[in-house]
Amino acid sequence: MATDLKCFSLEGKGLKLDTTEDLEAHIGPLRSMTNLEEVRILGNTLGIGACKLLGEVLATKKTLKVANLADIFTGRLLNEIPEALSYLLTSILNLPKLRTINLNDNAFGLNTQEPLIEFLSSHVPLQHLYLNNNGLGPHAGINIANALSKLHAKKEEARKAGEEVPDLETVICGRNRLENGSMMAWAETFRLHNKIKEIKMVQNGIRQEGISLLLSEGLNHTVGLETLDLQDNTFTIMGARALAKVVPHWANIRELGIGDSLLSAKGGVLLAKALSHGKNQKLETLRLQYNDITAKAVQDLSAAAEDALPALRRIELNGNKFSEDEESISALQELLEARKEKYAGDIVDEDAWGVDSLSDLEELDSDEEEEEEEEEEEISPEERAEKLIKDAEEAQEQPTVQLKDKDVDDLASKLQKTSI
């Protein structure tokens, strides 16, 4: 029976593969593949012996393009993971066509970061990096970002030597508690890798000073950006100001996610006005749920959608502070419905069009409407830098704790399940 000779998969089988013998029983087809392009090992748990053998086999697959190694260390002790990971990443480091690496849902952090740092700083073909829900923390976050900055230098060296080298186009690094402490390092990474197209850094505990710096000193250089998702961090008016200044630079932006980020009423207005300049003609999806946005911002967004955002087809506004009966909401709904009828085609994904369900709105009472929004004090770039340098120093002072086996095992299990 014919099989796909370009993809080898053990995905989701729930196998516990401790030794070389355990793995050997499953990789006969992998050994015989001569044109392998993708390997999918996610959803199993691999020990040191199994990783050593898998690495040895993959090292021979010079055509490999995609390695999906997500969720392969569930139940493993943290002191097992570095050696196992090192066998894998060292083996695939020199594969010339390997452009996509997925390490989502593996418990890394300070105790287990070293093999990953070595790989990320050296694998010149890297184009798409998936590193989501890994328990990094700000110190490891700094080290990962610094590794990617070193990678940029190696990519440039390879180009000067006449090699064809892809740009880093995708960085998915959410649910990793990167916090303010790592934002100077990440801003530098994106300043260097300025041809990046997709960035998702959701739910990282980044506060307004870090968001502001990331936007104004990093993402302002990424003029080809198509997708940015920073949901579930903290913007406030400080981050909103930075976003409003930067968003006109992103002529290719298609999806912008700022939901659940305390954008604020005034921040919503600033973003709407920035979008009204007509610099974001390709924007299709705008996620702004749970941001304390009020009717004024909705009015401005509605006007911008009609006049300056011709590609907009989806806007998410649930959980904000206005009435569903606002005329501007009706205008948005009618506009996006008309665009759906005109452009969606025969098979329609309803979640990709229109205004989202507004089932959880908060209505302002008269007292709130009369209150002046508390103005957040602006800080200078120098003051912001001073604060973030302090945060970075504190992050790097965090100890690498050596735990007892039982504690390590418990922590590994928790890291796999915790939503930060």
Side-chain angles (χ1 to χ4, degrees), residues 117-303:
I117 290 168
E118 289 298 319
F119 178 83
L120 294 180
S121 63
S122 305
H123 188 62
V124 171
L126 185 64
Q127 189 173 11
H128 307 288
L129 174 62
Y130 296 85
L131 199 60
N132 200 66
N133 189 33
N134 300 105
L136 294 178
H139 188 171
I142 291 171
N143 294 338
I144 295 297
N146 288 343
L148 291 173
S149 294
K150 291 178 183 177
L151 176 66
H152 178 267
K154 293 193 176 180
K155 282 178 178 282
E156 289 300 299
E157 289 173 9
R159 290 189 181 106
K160 289 177 182 177
E163 296 180 33
E164 185 176 334
V165 177
D167 295 308
L168 182 64
E169 292 187 1
T170 304
V171 171
I172 310 298
C173 192
R175 298 183 66 191
N176 270 313
R177 202 170 51 83
L178 297 179
E179 300 179 1
N180 277 2
S182 69
M183 285 304 102
M184 294 184 74
W186 280 103
E188 176 66 4
T189 294
F190 294 131
R191 184 186 72 80
L192 294 170
H193 291 284
N194 53 31
K195 293 182 175 62
I196 197 161
K197 295 181 179 180
E198 181 177 11
I199 299 170
K200 294 186 178 182
M201 301 178 74
V202 304
Q203 207 176 63
N204 269 311
I206 310 168
R207 296 187 59 77
Q208 59 266 33
E209 301 88 357
I211 287 289
S212 176
L213 180 128
L214 182 68
L215 289 164
S216 60
E217 297 188 23
L219 299 183
N220 59 320
H221 297 280
T222 59
V223 294
L225 194 62
E226 296 178 3
T227 298
L228 177 64
D229 195 343
L230 293 173
Q231 295 185 96
D232 204 1
N233 291 291
T234 301
F235 273 64
T236 73
I237 188 65
M238 182 187 296
R241 286 195 188 100
L243 179 62
K245 289 178 182 177
V246 173
V247 76
H249 295 293
W250 299 330
N252 292 328
I253 196 79
R254 295 180 182 277
E255 180 177 341
L256 181 59
I258 312 292
D260 200 12
S261 297
L262 288 177
L263 198 62
S264 79
K266 187 171 182 180
V269 172
L270 289 175
L271 176 58
K273 288 183 176 178
L275 293 172
S276 72
H277 296 324
K279 304 293 187 180
N280 309 105
Q281 298 277 310
K282 297 180 181 180
L283 183 63
E284 297 176 352
T285 302
L286 183 57
R287 306 188 194 281
L288 295 171
Q289 294 184 333
Y290 297 95
N291 267 317
D292 291 342
I293 290 173
T294 58
K296 177 65 172 74
V298 176
Q299 292 164 11
D300 292 345
L301 286 167
S302 180

Side-chain angles (χ1 to χ4, degrees), residues 367-383:
D367 291 336
E368 285 183 292
E369 290 173 347
E370 292 173 3
E371 286 179 5
E372 287 285 329
E373 182 177 336
E374 185 176 343
E375 185 74 14
E376 184 173 23
E377 184 178 349
E378 283 196 72
I379 63 173
S380 68
E382 293 77 15
E383 291 173 318

Side-chain angles (χ1 to χ4, degrees), residues 63-86:
T63 57
L64 185 65
K65 296 179 180 180
V66 179
N68 193 327
L69 305 172
D71 189 20
I72 61 169
F73 294 124
T74 298
R76 299 291 168 180
L77 299 179
L78 287 186
N79 57 14
E80 284 183 90
I81 296 174
E83 186 176 358
L85 188 62
S86 181

Side-chain angles (χ1 to χ4, degrees), residues 17-20 23 27 46-59 83-88 91:
L17 306 172
D18 297 326
T19 65
T20 56
L23 181 64
I27 62 167
L46 277 64
I48 293 171
C51 285
K52 184 175 186 295
L53 176 60
L54 180 59
E56 290 171 353
V57 175
L58 292 180
E83 186 176 358
L85 188 62
S86 181
Y87 277 128
L88 278 176
S91 298

Side-chain angles (χ1 to χ4, degrees), residues 13-14 34 43 50 98 100 187 196 234 275 278 323 335 339 385 390 420:
K13 291 184 178 296
T34 57
L98 180 59
T100 301
I196 197 161
T234 301
L275 293 172
S323 169
L335 174 67
R339 288 179 182 175
K390 182 179 179 182
I420 298 172

